[in-house]
Amino acid sequence: MSVFVTRTPTSGMRAIGSVAERSQSRIASILSRHFSDDYAALLAEPVPSQDGSGIDWFVDTDEDVRPISALPADQAQAVRDRLEEMIANIQAEIDRIESSGTANREALATALRNAITIPGEDYIWAIGSAESGFQPLLVGWGHTSHEASATGPFEITARGQTLRRPRPGPRRRSADAEQPPAPPVAGEVAAAAAARAAPPAAASVAASTVHSVPFVYVRESGGFWRRWLLPILLALAFLLMLMLLVSYLLPACGLRTPFGNIVFGWTGRAACIQTVNTQLEDTTLQTIAIERELGVLRENFERRRLACVPPEPITDPEPVVEPPRDDFEIEQRGEAQVTLQWGNVDDLDLSVVCPNGQVINYRSRQGCGGTLDIDANANNGTLRNPPGENITFENGLQDPGEYRIRVTHFKTRTRRYPVRFRVRIRDGNGEPRFVEGQLDRPQQTVEVGTLQR
């Protein structure tokens, strides 16, 4: 279920990198491929507001979402520790990618570095509860703060201390982008752990050891040319226009004005007038010759244009969104089963909420005796049409109660609505039941039925 997290005003942030580098689905796919689904869930999904004043951030979860400032100190520190660990792993992967030396891999490293950049700690949130544990969540990623004091890296001290920001030092202008700080080495991590376990007297000494989380301010390369290229081009254009004007106003031995030619110089007046007249005659003859050539070209063009037969316009056929088929390609198996099928290449997600609150979906594929064994159209390289998804309870429904069935429109590739779907439900109490429905917008979730034990 898509949950609204918060809105960040655009007036206080500056985007870094290109729009493609800030694509949440692309970065999440990269993190999932290189690490796990927990890393893919680290970044909230940005949606620009309609009035352009801010960015709304959403996350697909069924758990509570809150800022770490609303958590008790020990729970907030646990979220910071987990985030520090994840950021260090991502930074290590960035260093490994950059060592390959290829342009495509460097672009991937830049996208990952921008993704772990946020304006400050206020943009760190937590998903979950004290019983199930908290997962860090970043909003405002891919942006830096407009404030000069917020352009440095953020640092996390030992447990029990607050976050502080180092004082900004002098900056060196360079054509290359500044490199992010390296992740903490093993000695620094061990010192922080000793500071947490030490008594108060020793903790005050160990608190001076600071672990740097690579929330960095990335300075874009080519800053000099970005700032001065346009003024330089405008100055060159002005000088060119001035030179053309001077060359027109100053003939060989005089000044040409709207009121006549003013002759001056060392040569005589008659010679200057003769020179000007000769130049005018040559220019006139050249103009006449050019006009004749243009007339011939126009006649040839018109003759060929009239001889051409315009081709028939090519119209693309109207794409048809096929409804789901009545026959299911996924066979019946297990004592209980839920099968989803639809009729295009969009990504629809099937999920089941167990009586104990556990959710079976693409993030958690097993729970309360059920398994999500088919997940179609999750990646562009493995598209199926018609696609389908399936959750099988091999040994039947284990827990007594109601199992709620949901369908979510996770990603559109056709941009056509509504998307119709069909669900087959088998709970072991008789013949299968069929439910039809439709989704009218992105990220919409509908509940289509239940399994009963």
Side-chain angles (χ1 to χ4, degrees), residues 243-303:
M243 292 173 60
L244 292 176
L245 180 62
V246 170
S247 65
Y248 175 79
L249 294 177
L250 293 178
C253 55
L255 178 64
R256 184 182 293 117
T257 67
F259 309 102
N261 295 333
I262 302 175
V263 180
F264 57 86
W266 297 102
T267 59
R269 177 180 179 86
C272 286
I273 294 176
Q274 184 178 1
T275 302
V276 173
N277 292 337
T278 303
Q279 293 176 353
L280 290 176
E281 290 176 0
D282 294 341
T283 304
T284 303
L285 292 176
Q286 293 177 1
T287 303
I288 293 174
I290 293 175
E291 290 179 350
R292 288 177 180 176
E293 292 180 3
L294 288 176
V296 174
L297 292 176
R298 289 194 190 97
E299 291 179 0
N300 292 336
F301 173 76
E302 289 296 328
R303 183 168 60 254

Side-chain angles (χ1 to χ4, degrees), residues 70-379:
L71 298 176
D74 56 341
Q75 297 177 2
Q77 186 62 41
V79 175
R80 294 190 190 97
D81 293 342
R82 175 56 178 161
L83 179 60
E84 179 181 357
E85 177 187 355
M86 298 173 74
I87 293 297
N89 293 336
I90 295 174
Q91 183 62 46
E93 183 67 14
I94 292 173
D95 296 339
R96 187 189 66 80
I97 293 173
E98 288 181 335
S99 64
S100 64
T102 61
N104 292 336
R105 305 291 286 175
E106 289 180 359
L108 175 60
T110 300
L112 288 176
R113 184 179 294 107
N114 293 345
I116 60 174
T117 302
I118 61 173
E121 189 192 6
D122 294 339
Y123 296 79
I124 304 175
W125 290 61
I127 303 176
S129 61
E131 294 77 13
S132 61
F134 291 99
Q135 168 76 12
L137 176 69
L138 299 182
V139 302
W141 58 270
H143 294 76
T144 59
S145 175
H146 280 309
E147 299 178 1
S149 60
T151 58
F154 290 87
E155 299 180 350
I156 298 179
T157 64
R159 182 182 300 273
Q161 303 295 324
T162 59
L163 272 89
R164 62 183 179 85
R165 182 181 295 113
R167 298 179 60 184
R171 300 178 183 172
R172 178 176 58 87
R173 293 188 176 271
S174 173
D176 299 327
E178 296 179 0
Q179 296 298 326
V185 298
E188 294 177 348
V189 176
R196 298 188 185 101
S204 61
V205 177
S208 61
T209 301
V210 178
H211 305 291
S212 178
V213 180
F215 296 148
V216 298
Y217 171 76
V218 180
R219 178 178 298 165
E220 300 178 0
S221 62
F224 173 81
W225 292 109
R226 286 181 179 272
R227 178 176 299 178
W228 295 107
L229 180 59
L230 182 59
I232 292 174
L233 292 178
L234 291 176
L236 292 176
F238 175 76
L239 290 176
L240 180 60
M241 293 178 60
L242 184 60
M243 292 173 60
L244 292 176
L245 180 62
V246 170
S247 65
Y248 175 79
L249 294 177
L250 293 178
C253 55
L255 178 64
R256 184 182 293 117
T257 67
F259 309 102
N261 295 333
I262 302 175
V263 180
F264 57 86
W266 297 102
T267 59
R269 177 180 179 86
C272 286
I273 294 176
Q274 184 178 1
T275 302
V276 173
N277 292 337
T278 303
Q279 293 176 353
L280 290 176
E281 290 176 0
D282 294 341
T283 304
T284 303
L285 292 176
Q286 293 177 1
T287 303
I288 293 174
I290 293 175
E291 290 179 350
R292 288 177 180 176
E293 292 180 3
L294 288 176
V296 174
L297 292 176
R298 289 194 190 97
E299 291 179 0
N300 292 336
F301 173 76
E302 289 296 328
R303 183 168 60 254
R304 294 186 180 183
R305 185 180 67 83
L306 295 175
C308 291
V309 178
E312 294 291 333
I314 300 175
T315 59
D316 295 332
E318 184 71 18
V320 178
V321 180
E322 297 182 357
R325 297 167 50 181
D326 292 337
D327 55 330
F328 280 76
E329 295 186 354
I330 302 174
E331 73 279 1
Q332 298 185 16
R333 54 193 177 208
E335 295 187 10
Q337 182 184 19
V338 180
T339 305
L340 168 67
Q341 187 166 312
W342 63 101
N344 59 20
V345 294
D346 288 0
D347 184 9
L348 271 61
D349 285 336
L350 176 65
S351 59
V352 172
V353 181
C354 302
N356 60 2
Q358 190 176 6
V359 181
I360 307 174
N361 56 15
Y362 69 95
R363 288 186 174 178
S364 177
R365 295 176 177 267
Q366 294 183 345
C368 61
T371 302
L372 176 65
D373 48 17
I374 298 178
D375 184 8
N377 291 359
N379 299 315

